[in-house]
Amino acid sequence: MAARMKLKLKTVFVLYFMVSLMGLVYALMQLGQRCDCTEHDMPKDRTISRLRGELHRFQEQIRKSEATKQPQKQPAKPTIFVITPTYARLVQKAELTRLSQTFLHVPQLHWIVVEDSPHKTPLVTDLLVKSGLAFTHLHMPTAKDRKLQEGDPSWLKPRGVEQRNEGLRWLREDRRAQPGGDNQQGVVYFADDDNTYSLQIFEEMRSTQRVSVWPVGLVGGMKYERPVVEEGKVVRFHTGWRPSRPFPMDMAGFAVSLKLVLANPEACFDGDAPMGFLESSFLQGLVTMDELEPKADNCSKVLVWHTRTEKPKMKREEALQAQGLGSDRAVEV
Ligand code: UGA
Ligand code: MN
């Protein structure tokens, strides 16, 4: 009896063990199986496709409203006419290259280049044609007795005078022939070929009504010269030399509206003006100090620099030339 009980218990135990083992094996097999998650994911999927639908509808609406929108009529920017005197020397092409590549970044700019030469040179002609800029190419030689001679100190005679006047002559003649006559939007700026111009200065001057002014860096033996502004008006000038001049400013420090230039057909630069009075000779008849329009944050920012390029030394070139070994003349520099 006891032996039968033992056998039964053993059987029950073995059966229990087998069932548990099968259960465990089944559970383990389920672990590796992919779950049929459709039921759990249904609400998420529905939300995604609803949002997709909405996004699509929005995109469609935006597209339609863009297509029907009338192109906004932007008022045309006034053209800036930049007058640059230039003369042949070793650094001329380098100066004009730098300048032209600055101007390429300025919208609505017309470059009037006036060569100090009895004829237009191939170097400048070629550079302008390839520049990608809107330009006018002129020439006007400086009279011999007015021209700086080799070895003269640079302050002895004014430079670029006849050239700027020739630029003004062309501009007045050309603009008169355009529709709108004397009443045209535009700005005139005199940009020497060796200075450094930030792009910002062109946007500052674009709104010139009569004459706008701003500081010029590295000029007149100073870190900068500038008009001094109080309550929005120019009241005097910060300059180290003869502040009593009518307009003690460098050429790079002002721009004039085209209307004012056209309304004053006689206004020009006086080559006989005493040293430092060239700018004043032009501005005197056009504007009073009280009317000047300060730019560059009330004349507190330097956006143009009166840089001057060192004259390159040619000692070795000359030595080689004497031996017939100079640089190839056919290579334009
Ligand atoms: C300073 C001013 O910044 C000039 O605007 C002003 O004309 C000059 O003084 C002056 O008092 O006449 P600075 O650097 O001394 O300028 O003069 P440059 O840069 O040598 O010449 C001014 C412009 O005239 C330049 O664009 C230059 O290419 C041109 N230039 C110079 C000529 O066309 N011919 C020349 O014989 C010399
Ligand atoms: Mn200069």
Side-chain angles (χ1 to χ4, degrees):
M1 182 67 181
R4 274 182 68 190
M5 275 290 280
K6 221 179 191 177
L7 196 71
K8 257 191 186 167
L9 260 173
K10 196 176 168 187
T11 314
V12 168
F13 180 75
V14 166
L15 271 172
Y16 174 75
F17 179 75
M18 295 285 284
V19 168
S20 310
L21 194 68
M22 275 163 65
L24 185 66
V25 167
Y26 178 76
L28 282 173
M29 277 165 64
Q30 289 302 307
L31 271 181
Q33 294 281 320
R34 284 176 73 191
C35 148
D36 181 6
C37 308
T38 337
E39 252 172 47
H40 312 278
D41 278 359
M42 276 300 270
K44 213 198 287 170
D45 277 358
R46 267 204 297 273
T47 313
I48 289 173
S49 69
R50 186 171 50 81
L51 288 173
R52 271 211 190 111
E54 270 174 36
L55 179 67
H56 192 74
R57 269 199 305 283
F58 279 135
Q59 281 174 335
E60 197 66 13
Q61 273 175 11
I62 289 169
R63 236 201 354 253
K64 271 187 197 147
S65 76
E66 296 268 293
T68 52
K69 214 194 283 174
Q70 289 298 318
Q72 289 279 311
K73 274 220 167 139
Q74 297 274 347
K77 279 178 189 267
T79 300
I80 299 174
F81 295 92
V82 176
I83 300 180
T84 300
T86 187
Y87 70 111
R89 74 255 195 224
L90 279 167
V91 297
Q92 186 182 31
K93 190 175 183 183
E95 306 278 34
L96 295 176
T97 298
R98 192 175 59 231
L99 207 53
S100 66
Q101 291 181 1
T102 295
F103 294 164
L104 277 177
H105 295 286
V106 183
Q108 284 290 109
L109 182 148
H110 186 115
W111 196 16
I112 303 168
V113 178
V114 193
E115 287 196 71
D116 182 353
S117 161
H119 50 76
K120 297 181 191 174
T121 64
L123 185 147
V124 177
T125 306
D126 197 43
L127 187 137
L128 287 174
V129 169
K130 290 179 179 157
S131 71
L133 290 163
F135 70 88
T136 297
H137 186 184
L138 307 169
H139 69 97
M140 175 58 69
T142 303
K144 183 116 201 301
D145 57 321
R146 288 179 181 266
K147 180 112 174 145
L148 275 182
Q149 303 302 314
E150 191 72 29
D152 281 352
S154 71
W155 46 262
L156 196 64
K157 290 168 189 160
R159 283 131 278 147
V161 175
E162 281 93 329
Q163 294 72 39
R164 294 189 194 95
N165 288 340
E166 171 63 4
L168 284 169
R169 184 205 58 75
W170 177 86
L171 188 58
R172 286 173 173 132
E173 194 181 296
D174 179 75
R175 289 294 103 183
R176 288 261 156 68
Q178 304 293 324
D182 281 1
N183 202 27
Q184 290 176 59
Q185 290 277 320
V187 178
V188 183
Y189 183 51
F190 302 98
D192 291 351
D193 60 3
D194 55 345
N195 294 337
T196 305
Y197 306 89
S198 79
L199 299 181
Q200 181 62 26
I201 199 61
F202 297 98
E203 292 324 304
E204 296 284 330
M205 72 174 77
R206 213 182 279 278
S207 58
T208 304
Q209 297 302 303
R210 292 174 70 79
V211 177
S212 57
V213 291
W214 50 81
V216 176
L218 314 177
V219 70
M222 310 262 295
K223 279 166 82 176
Y224 61 81
E225 287 183 345
R226 68 164 162 177
V228 177
V229 180
E230 283 174 10
E231 287 165 20
K233 293 260 179 210
V234 176
V235 291
R236 60 180 179 278
F237 295 86
H238 172 67
T239 172
W241 187 71
R242 293 191 73 169
S244 58
R245 288 174 287 163
F247 294 97
M249 297 192 289
D250 187 79
M251 201 67 73
F254 66 89
V256 183
S257 75
L258 178 62
K259 272 186 201 148
L260 198 62
V261 167
L262 297 179
N264 293 272
E266 304 306 321
C268 63
F269 292 92
D270 179 4
D272 292 326
M275 194 179 90
F277 283 73
L278 191 59
E279 292 81 357
S280 298
S281 75
F282 175 67
L283 289 172
Q284 246 166 352
L286 294 182
V287 74
T288 61
M289 183 164 78
D290 190 55
E291 290 169 328
L292 294 175
E293 298 148 46
K295 302 289 181 186
D297 220 346
N298 275 331
C299 296
S300 66
K301 302 248 167 12
V302 174
L303 300 172
V304 54
W305 297 261
H306 182 254
T307 44
R308 308 192 73 199
T309 306
E310 187 188 6
K311 189 176 175 202
K313 296 182 180 63
M314 288 291 124
K315 253 171 73 184
R316 301 203 187 280
E317 182 71 52
E318 282 156 17
L320 284 174
Q321 269 170 15
Q323 300 168 46
L325 296 169
S327 301
D328 187 346
R329 283 176 188 279
V331 177
E332 191 181 77
V333 180

